[in-house]
């Protein structure tokens, strides 16, 4: 295979993201990626410093796409509608990008400033939609963790085929999400 003209980090990350979403994160190796791109593995090192660096780039790409999705889900909405919009956007992202989604779950690597910034932005966005509940700073963090856990649980169980009963899983999500919101409202009484 000869080097491919126009190969750049953006092209590499997009191809790796497609592989992660269709074949799984573990299928993304420098050798398999080079084969998909029609280049030799050493050619990738001109753009990315090994597999850990590639995964870091993929995490940033995934967090960027997730942030954009949550922004669309929240856009023009307030209160519970904003939270439901964000929840639906979160699950939609996890469904459309299962490989990238997995890479968004880890705490950002301190040395990757963009990943740290995007991780903080995700938390800030969720804190913002929870603001109408009048939570203290610490309660807000607890609520964000609870909301993320709820959404991740649904995403993971759905991906693994864990919702086999003939009851609409989206209705289950809305039921549990509303109970969470009821609890947040009740904590301010």
């Amino acid at each position: 295979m000869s080097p491919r003209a126009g190969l750049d980090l953006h092209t590499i990350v997009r191809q790796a993201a497609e592989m992660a979403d269709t074949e799984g994160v573990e299928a993304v190796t420098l050798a398999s990626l080079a084969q998909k791109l029609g280049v030799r593995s050493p050619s990738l090192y001109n753009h990315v410093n090994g597999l850990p660096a590639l995964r870091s780039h993929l995490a940033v790409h995934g967090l960027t796409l997730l942030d954009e999705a949550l922004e669309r889900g929240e856009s023009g909405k307030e209160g519970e509608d904003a939270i439901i919009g964000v929840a639906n956007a979160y699950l939609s992202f996890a469904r459309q990008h299962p490989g990238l989604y997995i890479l968004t779950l880890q705490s950002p690597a301190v040395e990757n400033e963009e990943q740290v910034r995007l991780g903080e932005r995700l938390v800030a966005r969720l804190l913002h939609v929870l603001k109408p509940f009048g939570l203290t700073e610490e309660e807000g963090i607890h609520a964000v963790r609870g909301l993320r856990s709820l959404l991740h649980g649904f995403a993971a169980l759905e991906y693994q085929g864990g919702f086999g009963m003939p009851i609409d899983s989206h209705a289950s999500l809305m039921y549990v999400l509303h109970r969470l919101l009821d609890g947040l409202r009740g904590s301010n009484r």
Side-chain angles (χ1 to χ4, degrees):
M1 292 182 207
S2 62
R4 192 171 106 193
L7 186 65
D8 59 15
L9 182 59
H10 178 74
T11 301
I12 290 168
V13 169
R14 295 203 42 119
Q15 182 63 57
E18 183 180 315
M19 288 176 65
D21 287 340
T22 58
E23 301 171 36
V25 173
E26 296 306 317
V28 180
T29 64
L30 293 180
S32 64
L33 180 58
Q35 184 176 17
K36 289 270 188 184
L37 290 167
V39 299
R40 293 179 296 133
S41 293
S43 299
L44 297 178
Y45 283 94
N46 293 327
H47 306 283
V48 65
N49 190 18
L51 189 58
L54 177 61
R55 289 210 172 147
S56 184
H57 286 293
L58 284 170
V60 166
H61 181 61
L63 285 165
T64 300
L65 293 178
L66 177 57
D67 182 58
E68 291 168 357
L70 297 183
E71 183 177 22
R72 286 188 304 273
E74 177 188 4
S75 182
K77 299 176 185 85
E78 293 181 10
E80 286 189 23
D81 290 339
I83 294 169
I84 291 169
V86 164
N88 285 326
Y90 185 100
L91 288 174
S92 180
F93 173 82
R95 290 175 188 131
Q96 292 171 9
H97 301 285
L100 285 179
Y101 171 69
I102 293 299
L103 294 169
T104 68
L105 297 175
Q106 293 180 339
S107 290
V110 174
E111 64 275 2
N112 187 329
E113 291 176 13
E114 184 66 2
Q115 189 178 3
V116 169
R117 185 187 72 75
L118 288 164
E120 289 171 351
R121 184 175 170 117
L122 172 66
V123 171
R125 183 176 303 285
L126 294 175
L127 285 169
H128 174 75
V129 298
L130 291 166
K131 192 171 185 166
F133 291 92
L135 304 172
T136 66
E137 185 176 336
E138 186 173 321
E139 289 171 335
I141 296 299
H142 294 317
V144 165
R145 287 176 175 169
L147 179 60
R148 285 184 71 196
S149 297
L150 169 66
L151 296 175
H152 174 66
F154 264 79
L157 286 168
E158 184 177 78
Y159 183 74
Q160 295 294 322
F163 293 134
M165 294 180 158
I167 296 173
D168 180 34
S169 63
H170 185 74
S172 297
L173 171 66
M174 290 300 110
Y175 175 84
V176 175
L177 187 56
H178 283 292
R179 297 302 72 80
L180 172 67
L181 298 177
D182 289 346
L184 292 176
R185 266 191 302 279
S187 71
N188 291 321
R189 290 181 187 154

